[in-house]
Amino acid sequence: MQKWYDLYSRILYLHFSEGFLQLPESAKNAVSPQNPLMRLLKLLGYTVVRLLGNLFTAVEHKERLQGKVWLYVVSQNNYDSLKFIQQELSGAVFVAGQSKQVGKYNKAVERLLLRRKLFYYYKLLPLLVQFLKYRKDNTIRFFDLLYDSIGFYEVYLHKLRKYKPEAIVFANDHNADARAMQLAAKTIGIKTIYIQHASISPLFPPLEFDLSLLEGQDALNKYKQCGTITGRVELIGMPKADAYVPLRNNSQHIKTIGIGCNLMDSLSEVEKLIKALTHNLPKLQLLLRPHPRDQRNFSSLKAISPQVSISDSRIVATFDYLRQIDVQLSGNSGIHLEAVLLNVWSIFYDFNPKQKLTDYYGFIQHGLIDTAKSPEELIQMLQTHMHNKPDVVERAKYYNATVGTAYDGKSAELALKFLRQLLA
């Protein structure tokens, strides 16, 4: 039983950490509902749709999985981050769990049958006892995550022995299913590669891949805080940004402002700012971009003014959205870095002041972005720079190792070089 607990503690490393428990509920709610009744409904839905529903569906294509390089994805963003590998590396195939939602790419990935997960739920009660003993508060708050994680490792271990992939490439190192796949691969000696796809938090698990391809010094420094790093590490920049480097915003004029908001943001604060901007800057256009997982109704915000339109993040890629704007406003979001890489002036604006989740990624500390503490201060900043928008791309050097170098816009080339070396 102790071995089970040790294994599942590693699988649930991030979400069962003390640091994650201390985050505001708005942040935790993105992975586990705050309302206990909603957590129960989530468990029931998972049991019926993803466990029992998987019993009667065959989804695996043996010939597409056997001996290939697997690109394991848990989201649409993961797919976008690894797409360049499939395009350039013969034999690379996208893989996901049977019912995993990968956005618009749901039909473009190979699936791993997960009905065997049911066989391992006899471990739930012993694990629950252990987790309540050692991590009581996390277990009560995130019981749904523990329930969901049961069986991933055991099923993936079976699949890896069956299909013997040449290697597995990850763009996520902290979700339970991705962690289970990584640990299963490590158990039987299959090579693992990690490509950073978003900004890093010191709460993440330690790097334990054969090869880790990070964007820049910031990510490396944060992973050093997470624990001992094993395997080779290279700094390669951001491959998914390569195609947009020639399209950086070189305009000196501010015409369109983007507002990127996520589940941590208060819609009343977003509404307050939109009303101030449209009233004081009537010639500017506002492009509101909710996070892909944000299901709240934004129609009332669009109705505030004809100046406001909405960018659908489930359809429009992040960099295509950023190409449409001159200034990006967000709270704690990795989109700030992507904006600066396109030379879009990015400003931190706290849309959730009650939670006080200040500078979660360290973007303000390291000079990547500017800040505005009120609508009035923001409006003054915009008016001052209306016809002399600052060039900001050089600010990203600490976060992106290729900015200002000969490899600027060639991150994918670097990544493929190191990947091929490992496979060889």
Side-chain angles (χ1 to χ4, degrees), residues 58-68 70 111-116 153-166 168 181 184-185 188 190:
V59 294
E60 289 180 2
H61 301 101
K62 179 178 179 180
E63 70 283 358
R64 301 178 191 172
L65 294 167
Q66 194 76 47
K68 302 297 179 71
W70 289 6
R111 299 290 181 168
L112 296 175
L113 200 61
L114 290 174
R115 56 190 174 198
R116 291 173 65 101
Y153 173 84
E154 294 84 354
V155 171
Y156 283 160
L157 195 62
H158 170 75
K159 298 299 179 184
L160 293 177
R161 285 171 172 155
K162 179 180 180 180
Y163 293 119
K164 298 178 175 61
E166 183 179 1
I168 307 175
M181 176 65 83
I188 57 177
I190 293 175

Side-chain angles (χ1 to χ4, degrees), residues 79-216:
Y79 189 105
D80 286 330
S81 298
L82 301 182
K83 187 163 51 177
F84 74 96
I85 299 178
Q86 188 195 43
Q87 293 170 345
E88 299 293 335
L89 189 66
S90 177
V93 57
F94 279 103
V95 177
Q98 184 168 357
S99 302
K100 196 69 178 181
Q101 292 301 306
V102 195
K104 63 182 179 181
Y105 303 119
N106 271 335
K107 296 182 179 179
V109 300
E110 296 302 317
R111 299 290 181 168
L112 296 175
L113 200 61
L114 290 174
R115 56 190 174 198
R116 291 173 65 101
K117 266 179 116 262
L118 275 172
F119 296 158
Y120 300 99
Y121 271 84
Y122 68 89
K123 296 184 178 183
L124 177 60
L125 185 56
L127 281 170
L128 182 59
V129 170
Q130 290 290 91
F131 272 94
L132 284 171
K133 179 180 178 181
Y134 295 111
R135 306 186 189 193
K136 181 179 178 180
D137 292 340
N138 296 77
T139 306
I140 293 172
R141 176 62 182 85
F142 301 117
F143 172 73
D144 53 326
L145 300 184
L146 173 60
Y147 183 87
D148 182 23
S149 70
I150 300 294
F152 272 126
Y153 173 84
E154 294 84 354
V155 171
Y156 283 160
L157 195 62
H158 170 75
K159 298 299 179 184
L160 293 177
R161 285 171 172 155
K162 179 180 180 180
Y163 293 119
K164 298 178 175 61
E166 183 179 1
I168 307 175
V169 184
F170 298 83
N172 180 292
D173 68 333
H174 56 270
N175 278 22
D177 46 349
R179 290 279 294 163
M181 176 65 83
Q182 178 205 349
L183 294 172
K186 189 173 183 179
T187 298
I188 57 177
I190 293 175
K191 294 176 181 177
T192 57
I193 302 96
Y194 169 62
I195 297 183
Q196 179 191 347
H197 93 283
S199 296
I200 300 303
S201 161
L203 299 179
F204 281 17
L207 282 180
E208 297 178 303
F209 298 86
D210 295 291
L211 174 64
S212 296
L213 302 177
L214 305 182
E215 292 174 3

Side-chain angles (χ1 to χ4, degrees), residues 175-287:
N175 278 22
D177 46 349
R179 290 279 294 163
M181 176 65 83
Q182 178 205 349
L183 294 172
K186 189 173 183 179
T187 298
I188 57 177
I190 293 175
K191 294 176 181 177
T192 57
I193 302 96
Y194 169 62
I195 297 183
Q196 179 191 347
H197 93 283
S199 296
I200 300 303
S201 161
L203 299 179
F204 281 17
L207 282 180
E208 297 178 303
F209 298 86
D210 295 291
L211 174 64
S212 296
L213 302 177
L214 305 182
E215 292 174 3
Q217 192 63 44
D218 172 74
L220 179 57
N221 289 347
K222 285 176 179 172
Y223 271 120
K224 287 178 178 178
Q225 296 177 48
C226 297
T228 303
I229 295 174
T230 59
R232 181 180 178 184
V233 177
E234 298 289 350
L235 306 183
I236 62 160
M238 188 185 295
K240 66 181 179 181
D242 284 353
Y244 297 90
V245 169
L247 306 174
R248 283 177 174 149
N249 186 322
N250 294 312
S251 172
Q252 296 297 304
H253 306 285
I254 298 174
K255 298 178 180 178
T256 305
I257 298 173
I259 301 177
C261 53
N262 57 43
L263 290 163
M264 291 183 283
D265 296 330
S266 165
L267 291 190
S268 62
E269 291 293 329
V270 177
E271 179 181 5
K272 176 182 174 182
L273 182 63
I274 289 177
K275 286 181 176 179
L277 290 173
T278 53
H279 177 73
N280 289 279
L281 301 169
K283 293 184 179 181
L284 292 185
Q285 296 297 309
L286 302 184
L287 187 55

Side-chain angles (χ1 to χ4, degrees), residues 36-68:
L37 178 60
M38 294 303 295
R39 287 204 294 275
L40 178 60
L41 291 175
K42 177 186 173 185
L43 284 182
L44 292 174
Y46 178 83
T47 302
V48 173
V49 177
R50 296 184 65 182
L51 288 182
L52 299 179
N54 287 345
L55 287 174
F56 310 103
T57 307
V59 294
E60 289 180 2
H61 301 101
K62 179 178 179 180
E63 70 283 358
R64 301 178 191 172
L65 294 167
Q66 194 76 47
K68 302 297 179 71

Side-chain angles (χ1 to χ4, degrees), residues 244-353:
Y244 297 90
V245 169
L247 306 174
R248 283 177 174 149
N249 186 322
N250 294 312
S251 172
Q252 296 297 304
H253 306 285
I254 298 174
K255 298 178 180 178
T256 305
I257 298 173
I259 301 177
C261 53
N262 57 43
L263 290 163
M264 291 183 283
D265 296 330
S266 165
L267 291 190
S268 62
E269 291 293 329
V270 177
E271 179 181 5
K272 176 182 174 182
L273 182 63
I274 289 177
K275 286 181 176 179
L277 290 173
T278 53
H279 177 73
N280 289 279
L281 301 169
K283 293 184 179 181
L284 292 185
Q285 296 297 309
L286 302 184
L287 187 55
L288 180 64
R289 183 177 174 87
H291 190 277
R293 291 203 306 264
D294 198 336
Q295 302 299 316
R296 292 177 293 182
N297 188 350
F298 288 83
S299 58
S300 61
L301 299 181
K302 182 180 179 182
I304 291 173
S305 168
Q307 295 170 245
V308 183
S309 56
I310 294 180
S311 173
D312 189 340
S313 55
R314 292 165 295 185
I315 299 173
V316 181
T318 302
F319 285 108
D320 288 325
Y321 152 71
L322 291 170
R323 286 183 60 198
Q324 302 175 62
I325 64 177
D326 304 298
V327 178
Q328 160 66 27
L329 308 176
S330 285
N332 280 290
S333 172
I335 201 170
H336 285 299
L337 174 58
E338 294 165 323
V340 173
L341 285 173
L342 258 62
N343 204 33
V344 171
W345 186 22
S346 205
I347 301 171
F348 179 92
Y349 189 92
D350 192 354
F351 291 110
N352 195 347

